[in-house]
Amino acid sequence: MSKTTNVNSQLTLDFPHRPSLSREDYLVASCNREAVALIDNWPDWPYFAACIYGPEGCGKTHLANVFANKVSNLTNFPYKIPFVKARQIQTQNFRDLFARHNCLVIEELDDAIDQEALFHLYNLYRDEGGNILFTSSLAPARLNFSLPDLRSRMNIVPAVEIQEPDDDLLAALLVKLFNDRQIIPTPELINYILHNMQRSFSYARKLVAEIDAVSLSRKRAVSVPIIKEAIQTLNDTSQGDLFD
């Protein structure tokens, strides 16, 4: 008699994976082509600052890394320029940022920040020849800045949107996300996912992570049943979030 193993009780070992963030690995399509062109055009920007905005998981951080690498390569700087969360900018630290870094990536720009500090940082980088790349979920002109001088300045920052992906880009993104985890999906599996998933960058990333987790816990290769279970798990989680 063969012995049955309860695979549901198997522990998943959370091995870290490293997504590739190089320029060559960024998937270019109609929804993000303008944002890619913005990064490619640096340092010949029309203004000292620019903003890339779009939904969660759309590739803003990837493009910001491309920007940081490009700055390092073109200026022979020994390390990448820093990434700073917008809410971390305070009146006591903005001058130190410019003293150490002529270029800066400011992530997660919103209106719940120290507006006075951002106002002075903006003026400093503009007046002294620095560059800032902002990332945000919304265009700066749509953020509700209460400080009039900051609002007027942010309204003139060139802003480029990354829109939600079409099927071709989603398919390419799914393949890349799987490859980042050393998984080679078949075209049939990609097509199945495309016909059953929510249409967003964010969901694609969460789904691939869940598929990988289920595959590891079951000790089975990625298959349609594995994908179905992962989709059901995400759907149940999303429904649960509605009642939190």
Side-chain angles (χ1 to χ4, degrees):
M1 179 182 297
S2 62
K3 183 177 179 180
T4 301
T5 302
N6 182 4
V7 294
N8 290 328
S9 65
Q10 297 295 317
L11 295 176
T12 299
L13 298 179
D14 187 16
F15 293 106
H17 70 283
R18 291 187 59 190
S20 180
L21 296 176
S22 69
R23 170 65 175 84
E24 294 75 16
D25 290 307
Y26 191 82
L27 306 171
V28 182
S30 58
C31 64
N32 60 21
R33 188 167 285 113
E34 191 176 356
V36 174
L38 173 71
I39 300 303
D40 286 345
N41 287 338
W42 188 89
D44 299 320
W45 282 358
Y47 199 54
F48 84 98
C51 179
I52 294 173
Y53 69 97
E56 177 187 355
C58 70
K60 299 186 293 289
T61 296
H62 191 150
L63 272 184
N65 274 276
V66 174
F67 171 71
N69 286 328
K70 185 175 185 180
V71 172
S72 295
N73 291 335
L74 292 184
T75 60
N76 294 317
F77 212 59
Y79 54 85
K80 286 201 307 184
I81 63 177
F83 286 52
V84 179
K85 304 295 184 186
R87 297 190 186 192
Q88 294 175 339
I89 298 172
Q90 304 293 328
T91 53
Q92 64 267 26
N93 66 16
F94 76 87
R95 292 188 183 279
D96 289 339
L97 283 173
F98 182 79
R100 296 194 304 269
H101 310 288
N102 191 247
C103 289
L104 198 62
V105 173
I106 298 180
E107 295 187 292
E108 300 175 12
L109 178 69
D110 59 23
D111 45 33
I113 59 172
D114 185 332
Q115 296 185 27
E116 189 75 27
L118 182 60
F119 169 74
H120 290 300
L121 181 91
Y122 181 110
N123 289 341
L124 183 61
Y125 273 76
R126 180 197 59 189
D127 296 343
E128 299 298 330
N131 286 126
I132 300 175
L133 175 65
F134 295 98
T135 68
S136 177
S137 60
L138 295 173
R142 294 183 60 192
L143 295 173
N144 187 29
F145 293 118
S146 58
L147 186 65
D149 288 339
L150 176 62
R151 183 168 63 249
S152 64
R153 282 161 173 74
M154 294 305 300
N155 283 348
I156 63 175
V157 171
V160 177
E161 181 182 14
I162 300 178
Q163 300 174 340
E164 291 289 9
D166 58 19
D167 277 2
D168 289 341
L169 181 57
L170 265 181
L173 176 62
L174 288 167
V175 170
K176 179 188 182 301
L177 292 173
F178 278 118
N179 288 344
D180 284 344
R181 295 172 178 272
Q182 290 77 53
I183 299 171
I184 309 299
T186 65
E188 292 75 19
L189 290 178
I190 295 297
N191 285 334
Y192 180 84
I193 294 172
L194 284 174
H195 285 91
N196 291 276
M197 67 178 290
Q198 297 177 21
R199 323 299 292 173
S200 73
F201 291 104
S202 176
Y203 187 87
R205 296 178 187 279
K206 292 175 183 176
L207 179 56
V208 169
E210 185 62 30
I211 290 170
D212 190 20
V214 174
S215 174
L216 288 171
S217 68
R218 300 289 182 264
K219 293 189 176 181
R220 290 162 48 199
V222 174
S223 62
V224 169
I226 293 289
I227 294 169
K228 284 182 177 179
E229 182 176 345
I231 290 174
Q232 185 61 53
T233 298
L234 288 187
N235 289 346
D236 289 346
T237 300
S238 298
Q239 288 299 319
D241 289 344
L242 295 176
F243 302 98
D244 286 346

